[in-house]
Amino acid sequence: DCGDDPRVAAVFCTNCESFYCVECDAATHVRARKGHNRVPADQRPPVCPIHKEAAQAFCDFDRRLACTSCLVSVPPGVCFSHHPRVKLVTEATTAARETLTSLSNSFKESEESMVREVGLLREQRELIDVRIRNLEASLVCSRDA
């Protein structure tokens, strides 16, 4: 077991609930454990913060992950059965991904618009600078005359 640091681990075993580097994974998952489900360390499934079990649901009301234990036997002060916005983690992830994509697109559009506006302002500034230089030259000519 390489600890809970996915930065040094290559694999996360969902059966052992542990991270492993390549060497430890090969040494640990022989014979009896060979059939364990292992995923890349950065793709570890979401975990319930209370029960440390795989989270299958997300509560929009509490803004947190929930496992089967949360949904069945709730800790004091939390009542998921009365929260109408509990949904599967996959649904919450999809919705969050869509929201992020939409926000990202909106940000890109805003950025492009601002870049265009800055370009127009620079052009106007250059025209103003030219006008100022012409007026200064005009004043110099008027003074000299």
Side-chain angles (χ1 to χ4, degrees), residues 75-112:
V78 181
C79 185
F80 287 99
S81 62
H82 293 98
H83 294 176
R85 297 179 307 205
V86 174
K87 54 186 154 189
L88 294 175
V89 168
T90 52
E91 292 172 14
T93 303
T94 300
R97 189 172 287 123
E98 289 170 357
T99 299
L100 285 172
T101 300
S102 174
L103 289 172
S104 176
N105 290 339
S106 177
F107 175 76
K108 286 177 186 174
E109 290 170 8
S110 295
E111 181 184 30
E112 290 169 0

Side-chain angles (χ1 to χ4, degrees), residues 19-142:
F19 289 101
Y20 295 96
C21 65
V22 174
E23 296 81 17
C24 291
D25 178 51
T28 304
H29 292 94
V30 291
R31 287 182 247 126
R33 293 185 180 182
K34 189 170 185 153
H36 279 196
N37 182 35
R38 297 179 317 274
V39 296
D42 61 347
Q43 294 177 14
R44 175 186 184 182
V47 176
C48 168
I50 294 175
H51 298 104
K52 308 301 182 217
E53 298 175 12
Q56 290 87 19
F58 181 81
C59 179
D60 277 337
F61 184 82
D62 287 327
R63 308 294 302 156
R64 76 170 189 84
L65 294 167
C67 64
T68 308
S69 296
C70 287
L71 300 174
V72 176
S73 61
V74 203
V78 181
C79 185
F80 287 99
S81 62
H82 293 98
H83 294 176
R85 297 179 307 205
V86 174
K87 54 186 154 189
L88 294 175
V89 168
T90 52
E91 292 172 14
T93 303
T94 300
R97 189 172 287 123
E98 289 170 357
T99 299
L100 285 172
T101 300
S102 174
L103 289 172
S104 176
N105 290 339
S106 177
F107 175 76
K108 286 177 186 174
E109 290 170 8
S110 295
E111 181 184 30
E112 290 169 0
S113 175
M114 284 189 262
V115 166
R116 282 191 301 273
E117 291 295 322
V118 166
L120 292 172
L121 288 171
R122 285 186 176 142
E123 288 175 15
Q124 288 177 354
R125 179 180 172 190
E126 183 59 35
L127 291 172
I128 290 170
D129 287 344
V130 167
R131 180 76 175 140
I132 288 172
R133 283 193 298 273
N134 289 340
L135 288 171
E136 287 172 341
S138 216
L139 282 172
V140 168
C141 288
S142 295

